[in-house]
């Protein structure tokens, strides 16, 4: 296939026009179907999208009232999914998993308000797998077909089988496409939990462990909150809609939104209507013209809707574009009417909740007005500086742009001219921006949001990200902290993470904040070069290089040439997502590590200091 595309750059004739089969196109351009490939280190990597594509079909069976259990195993990079639904019609089994635009979801009554709509998902899984098996059982009859890279290998029919009806899919992702990869079971587990929250009565087993939700979105909120709510979460449900709402004590807005059981991490029309409806309903309830930002600051909420023939903005289905919940019924009006009645009724029936909520709104209003003058001045400063902003080297494509590269937009926050210079010289100017800090930022723990506008570094960073008023305006999908792998670099990481935790936690909750891992060592000989991120990788590289290996210890980003930096911020980039769960005691962590208890921290460091006996000797050998 590659030879077909190897045409002379200076000639453009009929032989330069190539027609690819669906299989060839999926394998050549997998990103169009599953987003980025990745190695499994990030929750949105392609290997997890492939699991989701298979599970979506099994969940759709449950939605249609067939099958109440789905079994998933992930072992030795082989994924299996077994449902107990109706089973794919046997005569159509091979075509349903291998022929594009073939499926039972193009109208009719077999499926309604489901996620799998385009007849693409499971076919992409098949064609991107080195081994793929589909088995369907219906009333004692069974058929099993196997494939390799989308090409059929075997087809077996059976009669008189004693298995329950349903479909079994097994696949191993093709390393020829994905390279080396591994599954992070935390990501798979969270995916399974999200399915249970949205499908009451559906039980999942993942590697033998059972998962089920009894309270839907209420369970989701309780599972994901990192602080005690100001009031018991409000849980409301109706036909085709369910919501859960509460407030915390911090800043920002956090939303979890779903369509037909699909987690829409980038929101969409349903989430926009939800935010508007919350503000409108609460203003009308209190008969006060509160600013919507005062109502929504520190909100933690979730919404799930079921939509007929949903339209998503990409094949990965992470943002809803549908303006109607069904033909003739506006999404905005549907959500507005539901909350206008149900939320209003709830607040009337629970006056303590209504009183707590109003107190929070008034507190938000007081703080906003107290810093309004500072905000105005800070905005003017940021606008003036942005005209000639040496701190920000922007990219051309942003997260708010509606194109295929928008999700690839990212910004590196780094320290000093040398480090930012290396990244700037090696970056992809289309999608990668660089923001340069001047030394260590301020420790903002315990301070009010006033400091965001008074501190030049924080003010300009906020302006660069465009998150002052609304997270929906975030200009970069990934906000990446890129610091040296030394004590000072770790300190800057903590200071920046504290900034986001304190003032913009939704950047973290929405999965946008990352830490860039840069190599500690370079090991090479005349033929090969290895970049190593740990001592274990260094030892393996030395073994592979053999005698005479040259070993370099990188002490800072500024010491890495721009040519080498391309290795670390391109396709092979290693990122650690900053994550929040209910098990993270955020207030306690910040209080201990970033508070004023200097002597207590000093004692902790001394008590937990570990010195390897050969550390000095090892450094001498490296240098």
């Amino acid at each position: 296939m590659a030879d077909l595309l190897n045409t002379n750059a200076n000639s453009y004739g009929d032989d330069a026009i190539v027609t690819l089969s669906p299989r060839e196109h999926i394998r050549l351009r997998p990103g169009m179907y599953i987003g980025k490939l990745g190695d499994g280190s990030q929750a949105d990597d392609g290997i997890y999208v492939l699991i989701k594509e298979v599970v979506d079909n099994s969940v759709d069976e449950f939605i249609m009232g067939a099958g109440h259990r789905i079994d998933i195993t992930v072992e030795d990079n082989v994924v299996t999914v077994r449902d107990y639904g109706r089973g794919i019609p046997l005569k159509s089994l091979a075509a349903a998993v291998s022929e594009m635009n073939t499926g039972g979801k193009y109208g009719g009554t077999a499926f309604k308000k489901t996620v799998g709509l385009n007849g693409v998902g499971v076919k992409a899984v098949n064609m991107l797998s080195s081994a793929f098996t589909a088995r369907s059982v219906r009333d004692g009859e069974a058929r099993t077909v196997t494939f390799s890279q989308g090409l059929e290998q075997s087809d077996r029919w059976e009669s008189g089988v004693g298995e329950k009806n349903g479909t079994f899919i097994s696949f191993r992702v093709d390393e020829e496409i994905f390279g080396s990869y591994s599954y992070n079971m935390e990501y798979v587990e969270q995916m399974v939990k999200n399915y249970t929250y949205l499908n009451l009565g559906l039980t999942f087993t993942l590697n033998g462990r059972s998962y089920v939700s009894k309270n839907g979105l209420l369970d989701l909120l309780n599972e994901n909150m990192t602080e005690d709510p100001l009031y018991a979460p409000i849980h409301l449900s109706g036909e085709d809609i369910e919501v859960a709402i509460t407030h915390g004590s911090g800043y920002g807005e956090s939303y979890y939104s779903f369509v037909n059981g699909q987690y829409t991490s980038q929101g969409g029309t349903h989430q926009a209507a939800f935010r508007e409806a919350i503000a409108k309903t609460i203003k009308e309830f209190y008969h006060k013209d509160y600013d919507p930002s005062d109502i929504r600051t520190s909100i933690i909420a979730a919404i799930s809707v079921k939509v007929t023939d949903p339209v998503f903005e990409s094949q990965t289905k992470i943002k809803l574009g549908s303006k109607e919940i069904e033909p003739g019924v506006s999404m905005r009006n549907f959500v507005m009417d539901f909350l206008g009645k149900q939320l209003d009724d709830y607040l009337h029936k629970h006056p303590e909740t209504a009183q707590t909520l109003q107190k929070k709104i008034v507190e938000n209003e007081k703080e906003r007005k107290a810093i309004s003058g500072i905000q105005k001045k800070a905005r003017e400063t940021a606008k003036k500086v942005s005209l000639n902003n040496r701190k920000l080297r922007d990219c051309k494509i942003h997260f708010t742009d509606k194109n295929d590269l928008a999700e690839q937009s990212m910004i590196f926050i780094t320290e000093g001219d040398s480090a930012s210079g290396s990244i700037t010289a090696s970056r992809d100017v289309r999608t990668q921006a660089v923001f340069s800090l001047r030394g260590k930022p301020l420790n903002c723990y315990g301070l009010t949001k006033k400091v965001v506008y008074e501190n030049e570094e924080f003010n300009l960073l906020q302006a660069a990200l465009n998150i002052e008023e609304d997270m929906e305006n975030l200009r970069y999908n990934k906000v990446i902290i890129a610091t040296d792998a030394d004590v000072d670099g770790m300190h800057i990481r903590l200071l920046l993470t504290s900034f986001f935790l304190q003032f913009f936690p939704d950047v973290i909750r929405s999965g946008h904040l990352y830490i860039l891992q840069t190599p500690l060592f370079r090991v090479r000989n005349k033929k090969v070069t290895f970049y190593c991120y740990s001592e274990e990788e260094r030892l393996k590289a030395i073994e592979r290089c053999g005698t005479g290996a040259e070993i370099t210890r990188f002490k800072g980003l500024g010491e890495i040439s721009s040519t080498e930096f391309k290795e670390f911020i391109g396709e092979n980039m290693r990122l650690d997502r900053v994550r929040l769960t209910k098990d993270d005691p955020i207030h306690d962590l910040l209080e201990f590590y970033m508070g004023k208890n200097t002597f207590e921290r000093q004692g902790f460091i001394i008590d937990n200091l570990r010195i390897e006996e050969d550390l000095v000797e090892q450094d001498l050998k490296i240098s």
Side-chain angles (χ1 to χ4, degrees):
M1 184 167 60
D3 292 338
L4 292 174
L5 302 178
N6 246 349
T7 56
N8 189 320
N10 294 322
S11 99
Y12 180 54
D14 289 330
D15 58 349
I17 305 301
V18 177
T19 300
L20 300 178
S21 68
R23 171 185 171 274
E24 289 172 327
H25 193 267
I26 288 177
R27 291 181 62 81
L28 183 66
R29 297 285 186 266
M32 291 182 61
Y33 301 88
I34 64 168
K36 67 187 181 72
L37 295 178
D39 60 2
S41 60
Q42 307 303 321
D44 58 349
D45 284 349
I47 62 174
Y48 304 110
V49 176
L50 295 182
I51 294 178
K52 186 188 73 63
E53 292 288 359
V54 176
V55 176
D56 278 351
N57 291 335
S58 295
V59 172
D60 287 345
E61 284 293 307
F62 168 78
I63 291 173
M64 295 305 298
H68 291 78
R69 192 178 104 214
I70 298 173
D71 300 327
I72 304 173
T73 64
V74 181
E75 187 174 355
D76 296 329
N77 281 357
V78 175
V79 177
T80 67
V81 179
R82 171 63 155 104
D83 68 45
Y84 299 88
R86 295 165 293 184
I88 299 173
L90 301 190
K91 289 183 180 180
S92 303
L93 177 63
V97 300
S98 65
E99 295 182 15
M100 294 289 283
N101 307 316
T102 301
K105 302 175 184 178
Y106 295 116
T109 59
F111 294 92
K112 290 182 178 179
K113 297 183 179 177
T114 58
V115 171
L117 301 169
N118 302 323
V120 173
V122 75
K123 288 82 165 175
V125 179
N126 184 355
M127 295 169 191
L128 295 174
S129 297
S130 56
F132 179 93
T133 298
R135 177 178 174 83
S136 180
V137 180
R138 302 193 89 180
D139 303 324
E141 303 291 316
R143 183 184 181 187
T144 305
V145 289
T146 66
F147 297 80
S148 177
Q149 299 181 341
L151 301 175
E152 186 173 319
Q153 304 296 303
S154 67
D155 187 349
R156 185 175 80 256
W157 292 72
E158 300 169 76
S159 298
V161 300
E163 302 169 43
K164 293 182 178 180
N165 286 357
T167 302
F168 169 92
I169 301 290
S170 172
F171 65 94
R172 178 190 288 273
V173 173
D174 192 356
E175 291 191 6
E176 185 177 311
I177 301 291
F178 287 79
S180 179
Y181 66 90
S182 62
Y183 290 97
N184 183 327
M185 293 307 296
E186 289 186 16
Y187 297 152
V188 182
E189 182 183 37
Q190 188 58 57
M191 182 192 304
V192 167
K193 287 181 177 179
N194 283 346
Y195 279 118
T196 64
Y197 300 141
L198 277 299
N199 298 279
L200 297 184
L202 175 59
T203 297
F204 276 84
T205 66
L206 174 59
N207 288 350
R209 182 178 177 184
S210 181
Y211 296 83
V212 65
S213 172
K214 296 181 180 179
N215 303 297
L217 293 185
L218 187 60
D219 288 341
L220 180 147
L221 237 57
N222 289 329
E223 179 76 18
N224 287 277
M225 279 190 293
T226 57
E227 57 182 315
D228 292 333
L230 294 183
Y231 53 87
I234 301 169
H235 188 208
L236 307 170
S237 60
E239 185 176 356
D240 293 335
I241 187 170
E242 179 186 3
V243 302
I245 305 166
T246 190
H247 278 74
S249 56
Y251 296 94
E253 304 174 35
S254 295
Y255 299 96
Y256 303 90
S257 63
F258 301 83
V259 174
N260 296 3
Q262 162 69 31
Y263 177 39
T264 44
S265 58
Q266 292 182 20
T269 53
H270 58 318
Q271 184 170 305
F274 185 42
R275 295 176 71 241
E276 183 183 357
I278 289 172
K280 182 175 184 293
T281 300
I282 290 176
K283 284 199 295 183
E284 291 178 352
F285 174 81
Y286 293 114
H287 304 289
K288 298 279 188 178
D289 190 23
Y290 290 125
D291 189 286
S293 66
D294 296 330
I295 295 172
R296 295 193 298 249
T297 291
S298 79
I299 194 172
I300 306 167
I303 178 172
S304 169
V305 296
K306 292 182 179 179
V307 178
T308 300
D309 294 331
V311 176
F312 296 94
E313 293 193 1
S314 69
Q315 170 61 26
T316 52
K317 304 170 186 145
I318 55 178
K319 186 173 185 179
L320 181 68
S322 301
K323 293 184 178 180
E324 294 183 326
I325 195 155
E326 60 184 41
V329 181
S330 159
M331 173 70 71
R332 180 179 179 276
N333 291 342
F334 175 76
V335 176
M336 282 279 189
D337 290 346
F338 175 78
L339 280 185
K341 175 68 168 62
Q342 299 298 326
L343 180 56
D344 183 81
D345 286 352
Y346 186 95
L347 292 175
H348 274 102
K349 293 176 182 179
H350 298 81
E352 290 185 1
T353 296
Q355 185 178 2
T356 302
L357 174 57
Q358 188 173 32
K359 181 180 178 182
K360 175 60 177 172
I361 295 171
V362 171
E363 288 175 355
N364 292 340
E365 184 179 50
K366 286 181 178 178
E367 181 175 3
R368 177 178 58 82
K369 289 181 176 179
I371 62 174
S372 60
I374 300 172
Q375 282 180 301
K376 183 178 180 181
K377 184 177 179 181
R379 287 193 198 104
E380 293 173 353
T381 300
K383 287 179 181 178
K384 290 178 182 178
V385 174
S386 66
L387 296 175
N388 185 26
N389 191 352
R390 296 183 59 189
K391 287 185 171 295
L392 176 64
R393 297 166 177 85
D394 208 357
C395 53
K396 297 179 180 179
I397 297 172
H398 299 96
F399 194 38
T400 48
D401 297 336
K402 292 186 177 181
N403 58 45
D404 293 338
L405 291 177
E407 292 180 28
Q408 297 181 30
S409 62
M410 63 189 73
I411 184 169
F412 296 95
I413 305 173
T414 190
E415 176 201 4
D417 294 336
S418 58
S420 62
S422 294
I423 297 179
T424 300
S426 57
R427 66 182 175 135
D428 182 341
V429 295
R430 298 176 304 163
T431 58
Q432 295 179 327
V434 182
F435 185 91
S436 179
L437 296 169
R438 184 182 67 248
K440 292 182 181 179
L442 177 71
N443 180 4
C444 62
Y445 174 65
L447 304 178
T448 68
K449 205 168 186 179
K450 177 181 177 183
V451 73
V452 178
Y453 303 97
E454 292 182 328
N455 180 275
E456 182 181 358
E457 297 276 304
F458 288 156
N459 181 34
L460 294 177
L461 177 57
Q462 172 188 253
L465 299 178
N466 199 30
I467 54 178
E468 177 191 356
E469 297 181 354
D470 197 329
M471 265 291 296
E472 298 253 335
N473 298 326
L474 180 66
R475 300 178 76 233
Y476 312 95
N477 187 25
K478 290 184 172 66
V479 180
I480 303 170
I481 300 173
T483 61
D484 293 345
D486 58 14
V487 174
D488 286 339
M490 298 300 174
H491 190 198
I492 293 172
R493 286 185 188 180
L494 285 174
L495 292 168
L496 286 172
T497 303
S498 297
F499 165 74
F500 286 106
L501 282 170
Q502 182 84 352
F503 302 118
F504 301 103
D506 31 325
V507 172
I508 300 175
R509 291 195 183 103
S510 300
H512 294 294
L513 187 64
Y514 295 81
I515 303 295
L516 175 68
Q517 296 299 329
T518 51
L520 300 175
F521 309 98
R522 179 183 63 210
V523 180
R524 65 183 178 185
N525 58 25
K526 293 182 178 179
K527 296 182 179 179
V528 293
T529 299
F530 298 100
Y531 296 99
C532 311
Y533 294 76
S534 66
E535 176 64 14
E536 182 182 4
E537 290 186 17
R538 184 184 77 92
L539 294 175
K540 287 182 180 179
I542 292 174
E543 183 179 347
R544 295 177 68 178
C545 283
T547 59
E550 175 191 310
I551 307 168
T552 302
R553 171 69 160 93
F554 292 122
K555 296 181 180 179
L557 301 184
E559 296 181 2
I560 303 176
S561 69
S562 57
T563 301
E564 286 186 301
F565 239 115
K566 289 184 179 180
E567 296 286 331
F568 320 135
I569 60 173
E571 292 184 2
N572 299 319
M573 181 163 48
R574 295 195 191 184
L575 295 175
D576 290 336
R577 177 180 283 177
V578 180
R579 301 169 62 211
L580 287 176
T581 70
K582 68 170 185 177
D583 298 321
D584 297 320
I586 301 305
H587 179 272
D588 295 341
L589 286 172
L590 287 174
E591 176 68 31
F592 181 80
Y593 290 105
M594 308 306 292
K596 298 181 179 180
N597 54 328
T598 306
F599 292 110
E600 186 180 357
R601 279 200 305 272
Q602 187 180 52
F604 173 83
I605 293 171
I606 293 173
D607 292 341
N608 291 273
L609 185 63
R610 295 173 58 192
I611 302 177
E612 300 293 342
E613 292 180 356
D614 61 344
L615 187 59
V616 175
E617 180 182 351
Q618 177 179 301
D619 277 343
L620 288 173
K621 287 182 179 179
I622 294 171
S623 58

